[in-house]
Amino acid sequence: MWLLWLVVGIAFAIAEIINNGFFLIWFAIGAIAALLTSLITTSVPIQLIVFLTISFLLLITLTRYCSAHFAKKDTIPTNIDALIGKTGTVLTFIGTDSSQVGQVKLDGEIWSAISSDGLSIEKGITVIVDEIRGVRLIVHPKSSTLLNTSSHNTQEETL
């Protein structure tokens, strides 16, 4: 009977590898427990009870923990998702509404862009990408650039 439990355990382990959801692995462990039990006793009902008890106890207690613990948490943004949060330079004026589209140079590429906060953004200002809609960047001015520009304008007015 131990050979049957070995085959069942291996089958559940292979199914878990294919499925990869921390569901079937507990039945593989339960089958191994039943295999060990079959070496002690020849009673099939006792082996079946050990298999079911171990499998369901592990399923109930450890599935949620293992799924959360081993789940891939750190995803790496790719393609356009990687552009969100990056800074670029305004090449042409960006107006106050979505009809006044400007251009931003970001990572060596030129993108059309609109302002996310409804403020106009002058040429040369550094902006941060908030989101991407289609092929258009939604940007806002970087605060340090905005402060430098306003202090520069104030100095020019006093001269």
Side-chain angles (χ1 to χ4, degrees):
M1 192 67 181
W2 67 269
L3 189 59
L4 175 66
W5 289 117
L6 181 64
V7 170
V8 169
I10 291 172
F12 275 120
I14 291 171
E16 175 64 32
I17 290 169
I18 293 169
N19 189 21
N20 193 18
F22 286 108
F23 180 74
L24 298 174
I25 191 67
W26 313 124
F27 293 96
I29 295 170
I32 299 304
L35 181 146
L36 295 174
T37 306
S38 73
L39 298 176
I40 297 169
T41 181
T42 58
S43 173
V44 175
I46 292 176
Q47 294 172 25
L48 193 58
I49 289 171
V50 168
F51 168 71
L52 293 173
T53 303
I54 297 294
S55 298
F56 284 111
L57 281 175
L58 291 175
L59 179 69
I60 291 168
T61 58
L62 294 179
T63 300
R64 185 173 291 154
Y65 170 76
C66 288
S67 294
H69 184 70
F70 293 110
K72 188 174 183 179
K73 296 175 187 166
D74 298 330
T75 56
I76 299 170
T78 58
N79 299 333
I80 62 171
D81 293 332
L83 299 177
I84 296 173
K86 286 195 169 189
T87 57
T89 305
V90 176
L91 297 177
T92 60
F93 174 81
I94 300 173
T96 56
D97 63 21
S98 61
S99 66
Q100 297 173 314
V101 179
Q103 290 185 327
V104 171
K105 188 169 188 175
L106 179 69
D107 288 345
E109 295 180 1
I110 298 173
W111 291 77
S112 60
I114 59 173
S115 175
S116 63
D117 51 12
L119 299 174
S120 61
I121 306 171
E122 297 293 327
K123 179 181 176 181
I125 299 290
T126 301
V127 292
I128 299 174
V129 177
D130 293 328
E131 64 178 293
I132 299 172
R133 290 186 201 147
V135 295
R136 190 169 289 169
L137 301 178
I138 312 302
V139 298
H140 72 276
K142 189 174 179 182
S143 59
S144 63
T145 307
L146 196 59
L147 292 174
N148 290 342
T149 305
S150 62
S151 65
H152 178 69
N153 289 343
T154 308
Q155 288 174 352
E156 284 179 356
E157 289 173 5
T158 58
L159 294 176

